[in-house]
Amino acid sequence: MTAFGIDLGTTNSCIACVDESGRPVVLPNAIGELTTPSVVYFDQREKVWIGRAAKDAALLAPDLAVQLVKRQMGLEGVGFTFHGTTYTPESISALVLKELTSAAQRHLGEPVRDVVITVPASFGVAERTATLLAGEIAGLNVLDILDEPNAAALSYRERAPVQGPRHLLVYDLGGGTFDTTVVRVDGDHVEVICTGGEPDLGGADWDARVRDFLLDTFTRQHPRLDPTADPHFMKELSIRAEQLKEELSTMTSRHRSLAFGGAVVPVELNRRQLEELTADLLDRTLARTEKTIAEARRKGVPDVDEVILVGGMTRMSAIMERLGKLVGKAPRRHEPDLAVARGAAMFALLKQMEQGAGQGRASRPAVRLAARMGLGEKQAEKLGSQRATAVLPRGFGTKVLDINDPLATTNPALARAYVVHLIPAGTALPADTGPVTFHTAIDNQPGIEVEVWEQASEESSEELADNKLIGRGKLRDLPPKLPKHTPVEITFFLSETGLLTVNAVEPASGRQVRFDLQIGGLDRSAVDLARTFVARHDTSS
Ligand code: ADP
Ligand code: MG
């Protein structure tokens, strides 16, 4: 059975598989496009539009559409209500996945079941689990969740196999997010060294600049007309702004005429002007990239060997030029909006091969893919066995009182508290901390509240404000007359699927408490319910 790779993007999604000759290929959607806008439009009860039609409809009726849902994956308590039904971010994403897989199924004439779905390297366990559940809700068998830069690295690797360890800088500028990551590729191993970015910076910001420019040109000639009051005009303007921007990647100058209130204004925009209008945006991505390179250097990567461009926005030539100057290496770019899906398809096939190892010969596409990558069959299997989500992107810890604060003994509720990360970001999963010793704060302390906090900012910090409380348990009925500073041992165990088991014990009395937290995600019954429900939706648009 064919395995598929899916780039479930913030603005566009894409599905690919590896063909008979071992080459990853992207499959077109129902209207022949290689990428599908990740937009769901709720036309009627259980009748939704997905993709281009939804994106266009959303410009006039944004209240009936969900866009950029990826930014809300893994957040608890988020719901979107349409025609009397509430949808979670997981269900919305499942609808997008269903659209992609049904189109692929029609195109190939065979069922789509086994998939690898990609996520940004910065996604935490909660967001990853939510993505996995979205796949399950769509009725898919999710072989794994893979980091987008790793997928991009694999895809480039297939085009230009190299030997020996390489460090790649993956610069990914999409429609609404920017990620910059250093990845190490070494034979049968791919791993993220460090990652950063701006979650709210992307092509849409470039579009807004072009839109403002067009509007400005119009109103300068007709100051008494106010086209901003007309939603149809503004919708047209948004569509045209994005088109203009995209056309200027291949053409050096474009014309448009804007018509409103009986006035017609011809406008010209050239590539140089576009670059000037958006220079500060590009600068922001470059500054962030420098930080990522510096961080990689601190982690022992002296130099990046290659620069890879990913995301539709990197078709803009100014990005390639400026980034090339910054790093001192010519970046590589090849269909940057398809690379992630292609790499995911390669990984999906290698995963399948590894799972089927020993049950007969590897499939022809798998053997050929391995050869294209310059890997032997065994090495390819090993790459497929790699846990794609092996590294924890954000740390977990527990809250402790600062015993140097005099209030800690007199009024603990008011004393300074901070977070100790028991499982720091970057730890390989599964992770087991073993018992870590803490101490009671006061004499005769009756119990201990064990709070679990997840790192909430990119940099690890012990301040409560930079962390998020995600659960708690209570160690009750400690023996009477315990002196202050009695040791208590806390153990965290985090599985690969995001199940965190916390154990706290007071060794002298043996009193203990144990609790589990599912980091992110719905419970089983909610997933099953959503699956039946999403299956009922008519997505043919
Ligand atoms: P995401 O990863 O956010 O889902 P993509 O990688 O598909 O998104 O990038 C989408 C962005 O790329 C959009 O802003 C789109 O306008 C832009 N884009 C697509 N093609 C081009 C092009 N030829 N020139 C410039 N920008 C482009
Ligand atoms: Mg993307």
Side-chain angles (χ1 to χ4, degrees):
M1 183 182 284
T2 313
F4 295 81
I6 300 180
D7 171 2
L8 183 60
T10 312
T11 44
N12 293 301
S13 297
C14 180
I15 181 166
C17 68
V18 175
D19 71 8
E20 273 298 299
S21 64
R23 208 175 266 130
V25 289
V26 170
L27 302 162
N29 67 15
I31 55 171
E33 300 165 325
L34 295 180
T35 64
T36 301
S38 311
V39 184
V40 181
Y41 182 82
F42 291 83
D43 181 42
Q44 298 160 31
R45 195 177 160 74
E46 290 176 16
K47 170 92 182 115
V48 294
W49 303 350
I50 293 153
R52 178 72 45 206
K55 181 174 170 176
D56 287 349
L59 282 170
L60 276 185
D63 296 350
L64 284 177
V66 182
Q67 318 197 42
L68 308 175
V69 72
K70 192 170 177 177
R71 291 191 180 149
Q72 303 189 61
M73 289 297 267
L75 292 183
E76 263 161 61
V78 179
F80 308 90
T81 304
F82 300 99
H83 312 297
T85 304
T86 301
Y87 300 77
T88 58
E90 289 88 342
S91 294
I92 301 281
S93 297
L95 286 166
V96 175
L97 290 170
K98 198 182 154 201
E99 177 73 15
L100 295 170
T101 52
S102 331
Q105 207 154 304
R106 278 194 300 272
H107 186 79
L108 294 175
E110 63 167 298
V112 175
R113 203 179 60 98
D114 290 353
V115 301
V116 163
I117 307 175
T118 59
V119 295
S122 59
F123 259 22
V125 176
E127 296 97 309
R128 284 164 199 263
T129 312
T131 306
L132 186 106
L133 293 178
E136 291 190 5
I137 293 171
L140 300 167
N141 172 36
V142 184
L143 298 171
D144 214 337
I145 299 292
L146 177 67
D147 286 334
E148 285 159 13
N150 285 358
L154 283 177
S155 148
Y156 276 86
R157 170 94 190 248
E158 185 265 335
R159 299 187 52 80
V162 282
Q163 296 303 322
R166 310 280 282 177
H167 290 101
L168 317 181
L169 172 72
V170 181
Y171 173 105
D172 180 351
L173 186 58
T177 6
F178 170 63
D179 293 298
T180 170
T181 310
V182 173
V183 174
R184 186 209 316 272
V185 182
D186 189 0
D188 46 32
H189 196 78
V190 192
E191 77 180 297
V192 168
I193 303 291
C194 59
T195 187
E198 285 202 42
D200 293 326
L201 179 65
D205 298 293
W206 271 255
D207 302 347
R209 295 288 170 85
V210 176
R211 203 188 49 217
D212 292 349
F213 169 81
L214 296 176
L215 202 57
D216 229 46
T217 315
F218 184 91
T219 46
R220 240 182 293 125
Q221 292 195 22
H222 297 280
R224 280 202 300 252
L225 292 177
D226 179 19
T228 57
D230 179 357
H232 284 274
F233 180 84
M234 294 307 285
K235 168 188 164 170
E236 278 301 309
L237 205 63
S238 295
I239 295 177
R240 280 158 180 234
E242 186 175 15
Q243 274 173 357
L244 260 178
K245 174 197 73 179
E246 293 180 4
E247 287 170 15
L248 286 172
S249 292
T250 40
M251 320 285 280
T252 49
S253 169
R254 298 304 285 156
H255 295 271
R256 284 288 187 280
S257 39
L258 306 175
F260 180 77
V264 179
V265 174
V267 191
E268 186 189 347
L269 182 67
N270 65 42
R271 194 182 284 173
R272 175 80 359 110
Q273 282 171 299
L274 170 66
E275 289 170 8
E276 280 165 12
L277 287 173
T278 56
D280 59 311
L281 301 174
L282 178 52
D283 287 345
R284 265 162 70 186
T285 68
L286 296 176
R288 194 60 193 76
T289 301
E290 275 190 291
K291 268 179 79 178
T292 303
I293 295 176
E295 192 185 340
R297 207 164 278 145
R298 281 198 298 280
K299 292 188 169 173
V301 178
D303 254 319
V304 294
D305 302 304
E306 263 175 74
V307 182
I308 288 175
L309 297 180
V310 179
M313 269 306 295
T314 62
R315 291 187 188 259
M316 189 174 168
S317 55
I319 294 180
M320 184 135 175
E321 286 157 19
R322 294 277 315 279
L323 185 63
K325 275 207 196 99
L326 176 81
V327 188
K329 283 201 176 70
R332 298 212 293 152
R333 176 179 67 189
H334 173 77
E335 301 185 320
D337 31 8
L338 313 180
V340 168
R342 271 199 298 250
M346 292 165 61
F347 190 67
L349 180 61
L350 298 178
K351 264 227 109 69
Q352 250 186 356
M353 172 180 182
E354 182 264 332
Q355 287 180 359
Q359 300 170 13
R361 295 224 321 258
S363 69
R364 193 157 66 164
V367 174
R368 293 195 170 163
L369 171 65
R372 296 180 72 83
M373 296 176 74
L375 296 177
E377 225 174 284
K378 279 276 155 297
Q379 268 183 310
E381 252 170 42
K382 186 143 173 251
L383 181 57
S385 73
Q386 181 183 335
R387 286 291 318 177
T389 54
V391 172
L392 187 67
R394 306 224 160 169
F396 286 92
T398 189
K399 185 172 95 172
V400 297
L401 283 186
D402 183 352
I403 52 157
N404 294 322
D405 184 339
L407 285 174
T409 42
T410 56
N411 194 344
L414 294 179
R416 185 185 107 89
Y418 59 98
V419 175
V420 173
H421 287 127
L422 296 181
I423 308 181
T427 307
L429 298 185
D432 188 349
T433 62
V436 182
T437 307
F438 293 90
H439 299 92
T440 55
I442 51 173
D443 286 328
N444 310 321
Q445 193 167 320
I448 289 175
E449 185 93 57
V450 183
E451 291 188 355
V452 179
W453 290 67
E454 182 177 20
Q455 177 183 340
S457 58
E458 212 175 281
E459 306 277 325
S460 148
S461 145
E462 61 175 33
E463 296 305 323
L464 295 183
D466 298 325
N467 294 274
K468 191 174 77 175
L469 176 65
I470 57 166
R472 50 155 67 99
K474 193 152 190 166
L475 177 53
R476 293 170 201 284
D477 306 325
L478 288 178
K481 302 220 176 71
L482 273 189
K484 70 177 173 190
H485 299 169
T486 297
V488 175
E489 292 175 345
I490 298 183
T491 308
F492 275 22
F493 177 82
L494 182 59
S495 78
E496 290 144 306
T497 53
L499 189 69
L500 178 68
T501 304
V502 178
N503 193 60
V505 57
E506 192 276 296
S509 65
R511 293 236 180 262
Q512 66 168 325
V513 61
R514 193 185 173 87
F515 57 96
D516 289 336
L517 291 172
Q518 178 60 52
I519 309 300
L522 318 166
D523 62 34
R524 261 296 100 195
S525 57
V527 171
D528 292 341
L529 199 67
R531 186 199 301 226
T532 340
F533 177 67
V534 161
R536 263 207 324 259
H537 277 59
D538 178 4
T539 60
S540 53
S541 28

